[in-house]
Amino acid sequence: MTVAPLIEVEDLRIDLDDGANHIAAVEGVSFRIDRGETFGLVGESGCGKSITALALIGLLRRPLSVAAGAIRFEGREIQRLSAAEQRALRGNRIAMIFQEPMTALNPVSPVGRQIAEMFVLHKGKGWREANQLAVEALANVRVPAPERRVKDYPHQLSGGMRQRVMIAIALACDPDLLIADEPTTALDVTVQAEIIELMRNLCAERGTAILMISHDLGLVANVCRRVGVMYAGRIVEERRSDDIFSACAHPYTQGLVDSLPRLGSRAALGRSRLREIAGVVPAIADFPAGCRFNPRCAQATEVCRTTAPETTWLGAGGLVRCHHHA
Amino acid sequence: MKLGTSAIIGGLLFALAIFVGLFAPWLAHTDPVMGANLMNAEEPPSWIWWFGTDAQGRDIYSRVVHGARISLTVGIVSQLVNSIIGVTLGLTAGYWGGWWDDVVNGLTNLMLAIPSLIFALAIMAVLGPGLTSLLIALGLTNWSFTCRIARASTLSLKSQGYVQAARVLGYGDLRIMITQLLPNMVGPIIVIGTLGMGGAVLAEASLSFLGLGIRPPYPSWGSMLSEARDQITTAPWLSVFPGLAIFLTVLGLNLLGDGLRDVLDPQSRSRRT
Ligand SMILES: Nc1ncnc2c1ncn2[C@@H]1O[C@H](COP(=O)(O)OP(=O)(O)OP(=O)(O)O)[C@@H](O)[C@H]1O
Ligand code: SF4
Ligand SMILES: [Mg+2]
């Protein structure tokens, strides 16, 4: 008997309709995340990672909308839920933390109150109890002297502390899924590592599944068990993190792997430049026909320019979309 | 938080007016309406009659002190009503947009196009004179600036990360408006409100002067001025003291409003840590 996945995205298409154009910004995206599992979405800026995440929590707004496909959370289709049912999921069962800890907290409200609000909103607690729970929540994210910190305003905290507060807010209601959209890009490297470690430990303790979004393949592969590589609105390869470096199948993934600095390599020592993928991600309006990666792909042939590649299943649940995959 | 000189002077003047209004019955020497005595008619200011007396022999000082009650009640209550209307309309219009925004914008433009005093005059003409009519007339006619500010703040705050984050965390619209938007715009709203209060004190005086507001014998500063009109050459103190009271109160509120603007300005807020 197979257990139903926590969240399942099937053939998702997100349309961008700004009056003049009607284009699929994301197309044919499918993935599933099981309870307590960790899944990563990787890709360059603008490939559609964040809008996919917003679709998961039912928060796409004009000019973007879910045009086709289904998103099922515990078997229930998000699109079919009422506004109130969706709100009851958000922050409660599915939580999200963002890139910008500087701006994601209300500047005129003490951080403790912002955490407590979650217990009041989703768990029906009174303010007194909620405030106590907020202190515990801060202690859980290893903020020193939490009983004093709860009274602080966001501008009194460092970037790393603010991101801890964000995690405390996100995990306050013990969600089943935590979406982390570039959670550490605004932080410096040492703090970044601490925050990632904290997030991973807390989620592992509580059995919270993680959907981690980043342009950093190394980071995502390190945190997540499986990785989906997105390019121009499509998932081009999905693999177990263990396989992605040694046996990636898509030329774009290969490009991402090659552009990572490797420990002890000449590049990491700064003696030679890292290899980059030539060219840039096309804007939505001029996605090329056929395989969307073809203008930048060294292996591209005639068929790549005319026909979009089908899904090829690899071993161990992996898949790739490329006519000439490795 | 550093208060400027103007905010301090303005605040002191306003505090003085509030103090006088609150403790009027204890500060006054005689009853402002019934304390008439023709034996003392039209006395100039002296040690006994600080601000002089009027044609009926009533103590002007006592009447000015009691007038503070009426002026401040009208100023504070009507501006509070204006602020509530303006914030509610502006916030919801900016947040929801669409047809509601169009309706609110149309209404605001209408209010801005017609001078609010003319509007208040029309309402007073319908309702008749009296304190309640004054509060209604002034409370309904001066919310357009507050509304504009609230709407503009909402539009700029709406794209802030913490407002987006609140949506992601499952906040409903009302909760977002109350916890994320409103507290981040109180500064400018208070500034507009303080300045508007000064305007309301002045508007009360104007309407009462025209006989549409508080009617004699009740001592509002405007109605006192109105009564004193004919004796401005023979008994100037009848006009000077109520006029001075209006002047100082309105000056105080304007100084306070300007001073608060400097303190509460979001830019100066971010500089302070
Ligand atoms: N509100 C919007 N209106 C119009 N286009 C949008 C909107 N939001 C996103 N897009 C477009 O959709 C595409 C995907 O955006 P998305 O934010 O998902 O990218 P991303 O993969 O998260 O990139 P990044 O790494 O920069 O966060 C982009 O081309 C972007 O320009
Ligand atoms: S399908 Fe063709 S163009 Fe696309 S990645 Fe594969 S080889 Fe390159
Ligand atoms: Mg993004």
Side-chain angles (χ1 to χ4, degrees):
Chain A
M1 190 190 117
T2 53
V3 193
L6 179 66
I7 196 156
E8 187 175 24
V9 178
E10 202 179 299
D11 228 0
L12 176 69
R13 192 175 109 207
I14 298 172
D15 276 6
L16 173 70
D17 186 358
D18 56 6
N21 309 298
H22 191 95
I23 313 152
V26 163
E27 199 174 37
V29 164
S30 305
F31 57 87
R32 51 177 277 172
I33 306 174
D34 291 326
R35 228 161 242 295
E37 207 201 4
T38 49
F39 181 72
L41 274 181
V42 189
E44 278 163 295
S45 192
C47 69
K49 307 180 296 287
S50 295
I51 59 177
T52 303
L54 285 179
L56 294 196
I57 52 174
L59 273 182
L60 281 182
R61 293 287 178 264
R62 270 179 314 117
L64 296 158
S65 61
V66 172
I71 299 160
R72 280 183 288 271
F73 182 75
E74 294 181 322
R76 292 192 298 164
E77 224 174 290
I78 299 259
Q79 299 305 112
R80 300 245 171 95
L81 298 180
S82 71
E85 287 172 318
Q86 288 191 7
R87 268 206 308 280
L89 284 185
R90 269 177 234 142
N92 188 20
R93 311 289 308 280
I94 308 179
M96 187 160 170
I97 49 178
F98 305 91
Q99 192 161 349
E100 271 299 325
M102 307 302 159
T103 58
L105 292 169
N106 187 348
V108 299
S109 180
V111 294
R113 197 190 155 88
Q114 299 188 50
I115 303 172
E117 189 100 35
M118 299 303 292
F119 297 111
V120 174
L121 171 61
H122 291 298
K123 301 291 180 209
K125 304 281 187 206
W127 277 106
R128 179 191 294 270
E129 191 185 351
N131 284 326
Q132 272 158 14
L133 291 170
V135 174
E136 278 173 40
L138 268 193
N140 286 339
V141 292
R142 323 268 190 273
V143 169
E147 14 356 270
R148 272 187 286 127
R149 292 285 120 175
V150 285
K151 300 195 190 76
D152 282 355
Y153 288 85
H155 69 88
Q156 293 169 293
L157 302 175
S158 68
M161 279 298 158
R162 269 184 258 196
Q163 195 58 300
R164 281 167 198 261
V165 172
M166 287 302 304
I167 294 175
I169 292 176
L171 296 182
C173 297
D174 245 326
D176 299 294
L177 176 65
L178 176 68
I179 303 176
D181 191 352
E182 316 256 11
T184 55
T185 26
L187 304 172
D188 68 57
V189 185
T190 41
V191 183
Q192 186 173 330
E194 276 173 36
I195 295 289
I196 295 283
E197 196 54 33
L198 174 72
M199 187 180 85
R200 191 158 61 166
N201 288 342
L202 286 176
C203 287
E205 276 167 28
R206 297 153 183 239
T208 307
I210 299 179
L211 169 59
M212 179 147 173
I213 294 174
S214 176
H215 53 254
D216 184 343
L217 177 63
L219 182 71
V220 167
N222 182 22
V223 174
C224 303
R225 198 175 71 87
R226 284 182 306 123
V227 178
V229 178
M230 271 184 99
Y231 185 82
R234 289 177 179 158
I235 291 189
V236 293
E237 179 165 5
E238 187 191 314
R239 299 300 290 274
R240 289 204 343 235
S241 300
D242 302 337
D243 302 337
I244 202 136
F245 295 109
S246 51
C248 65
H250 197 279
Y252 177 63
T253 316
Q254 189 61 54
L256 288 181
V257 171
D258 289 343
S259 67
L260 287 174
R262 226 161 297 163
L263 211 61
S265 76
R266 280 158 46 99
L269 297 171
R271 274 187 229 126
S272 81
R273 289 201 43 177
L274 296 169
R275 272 175 57 199
E276 290 167 4
I277 306 171
V280 291
V281 189
I284 301 187
D286 26 69
F287 280 160
C291 172
R292 288 175 175 174
F293 188 54
N294 82 65
R296 296 171 75 186
C297 182
Q299 279 122 281
T301 59
E302 201 43 45
V303 64
C304 304
R305 282 181 269 277
T306 53
T307 324
E310 290 297 319
T311 304
T312 311
W313 298 96
L314 307 169
L319 66 85
V320 64
R321 291 195 180 88
C322 171
H323 292 297
H324 311 295
H325 64 85
Chain B
M1 197 143 98
K2 207 170 137 287
L3 282 171
T5 341
S6 70
I8 293 174
I9 296 176
L12 286 177
L13 282 172
F14 184 51
L16 177 68
I18 297 260
F19 175 81
V20 168
L22 278 179
F23 297 101
W26 293 275
L27 293 170
H29 294 160
T30 63
D31 185 286
V33 178
M34 304 311 286
N37 183 349
L38 289 176
M39 301 292 287
N40 309 322
E42 297 209 9
E43 294 276 355
S46 65
W47 278 118
I48 310 168
W49 313 106
W50 290 359
F51 294 178
T53 64
D54 64 7
Q56 287 93 49
R58 292 176 301 194
D59 179 28
I60 295 298
Y61 163 74
S62 305
R63 285 175 65 76
V64 167
V65 163
H66 273 276
R69 291 203 142 178
I70 292 176
S71 291
L72 290 176
T73 307
V74 173
I76 293 171
V77 174
S78 70
Q79 184 50 47
L80 219 56
V81 175
N82 280 317
S83 296
I84 291 171
I85 296 176
V87 167
T88 310
L89 291 181
L91 192 56
T92 51
Y95 188 79
W96 282 316
W99 66 269
W100 175 239
D101 192 27
D102 295 339
V103 169
V104 171
N105 262 332
L107 222 56
T108 315
N109 285 332
L110 189 75
M111 299 300 286
L112 284 170
I114 305 171
S116 53
L117 197 59
I118 305 281
F119 223 129
L121 258 171
I123 297 180
M124 291 305 286
V126 174
L127 296 178
L131 184 61
T132 323
S133 333
L134 255 184
L135 292 179
I136 294 173
L138 296 178
L140 295 181
T141 51
N142 200 24
W143 46 262
S144 42
F145 284 109
T146 310
C147 180
R148 280 265 160 117
I149 296 286
R151 181 175 172 274
S153 311
T154 304
L155 288 179
S156 76
L157 292 173
K158 221 163 64 162
S159 58
Q160 291 288 316
Y162 54 90
V163 179
Q164 304 294 329
R167 214 167 275 147
V168 167
L169 293 171
Y171 285 41
D173 287 353
L174 198 63
R175 194 177 287 265
I176 290 182
M177 289 188 216
I178 292 172
T179 64
Q180 313 295 97
L181 297 173
L182 192 57
N184 282 289
M185 61 171 81
V186 280
I189 300 293
I190 287 178
V191 171
I192 299 275
T194 312
L195 297 172
M197 225 180 269
V201 169
L202 215 51
E204 181 276 328
S206 313
L207 289 172
S208 297
F209 183 80
L210 296 174
L212 283 166
I214 304 294
R215 278 285 189 67
Y218 296 101
S220 113
W221 295 336
S223 67
M224 289 171 76
L225 279 181
S226 172
E227 277 187 295
R229 207 167 19 180
D230 300 333
Q231 293 126 286
I232 191 144
T233 47
T234 52
W237 58 88
L238 295 185
S239 322
V240 166
F241 290 104
L244 209 58
I246 296 172
F247 169 70
L248 288 177
T249 308
V250 175
L251 177 73
L253 283 167
N254 285 355
L255 286 176
L256 183 63
D258 279 341
L260 286 179
R261 173 167 26 222
D262 299 339
V263 179
L264 296 174
D265 187 301
Q267 259 120 48
S268 64
R269 181 206 294 275
S270 62
R271 261 181 266 125
R272 153 191 126 220
T273 308

